[in-house]
Amino acid sequence: MNPLNSPLEVGVRALVLLAESHPEPLDLAELALLDYALLHSGEFDGPPSLHPDLPARTGELGMKRVVLEQALLVLIRAGLADLEPDHDGLMYRATERGPAFVDILEAPYVGSLRERAEWAVHHYAPGADVRAATRAILNRPTEAPGAQHG
């Protein structure tokens, strides 16, 4: 199994986001957008991006939902997240064990995720129109290889 963007890796990122928003739940669209913002935070005037700004990175957002759903099932089975119905649809929430599990993770990468999750949940997301923000990312022109940022 390739760990890069696997359900395990995406699940850790989703749990970090759910732990940061705890006890508030997030839906799948919010989680997908926040995960993208967490990885590419530099694009949104946040902390430096964790992943490189590759030309085709917007394609991540479209593929992310399938892996994210698989990752969330892993979290639910492990008792770290719950799925609950809401008047707007299905919502995901960290259980009480979720934030405690994140607290015991000591890898430097997890520390970077937590820093960016705090920024994404409390500074980027409030008031954000998830559909419009997702559309804006997906409709961005892709850069030619070797293009310079100005």
Side-chain angles (χ1 to χ4, degrees):
M1 175 175 88
N2 180 2
L4 187 62
N5 283 317
S6 68
L8 179 60
E9 180 191 1
V10 174
V12 169
R13 294 194 316 250
L15 183 58
V16 168
L17 287 164
L18 289 171
E20 185 62 41
S21 72
H22 188 265
E24 296 301 315
L26 298 167
D27 68 21
L28 188 61
E30 290 170 319
L31 278 165
L33 179 63
L34 287 172
D35 186 59
Y36 183 90
L38 176 123
L39 296 176
H40 303 287
S41 49
E43 288 182 30
F44 306 99
D45 297 325
S49 297
L50 285 174
H51 286 194
D53 291 338
L54 300 174
R57 68 188 172 278
T58 57
E60 289 177 32
L61 202 51
M63 297 184 317
K64 187 176 300 285
R65 290 178 70 104
V66 172
V67 177
L68 185 54
E69 286 176 317
Q70 295 169 348
L72 289 164
L73 286 174
V74 170
L75 295 177
I76 291 166
R77 285 187 197 124
L80 300 172
D82 281 327
L83 176 64
E84 54 191 53
D86 184 72
H87 64 280
D88 292 328
L90 297 175
M91 304 294 283
Y92 297 89
R93 180 190 315 268
T95 63
E96 294 301 320
R97 292 174 47 192
F101 183 82
V102 171
D103 285 343
I104 65 170
L105 299 175
E106 296 180 1
Y109 183 71
V110 175
S112 296
L113 289 176
R114 292 182 77 173
E115 174 188 327
R116 283 151 182 85
E118 189 277 332
W119 166 82
V121 169
H122 300 292
H123 301 282
Y124 171 72
D129 179 336
V130 174
R131 291 186 200 286
T134 300
R135 225 178 358 265
I137 292 167
L138 292 174
N139 292 330
R140 232 185 263 158
T142 56
E143 299 165 15
Q148 297 294 317
H149 292 282

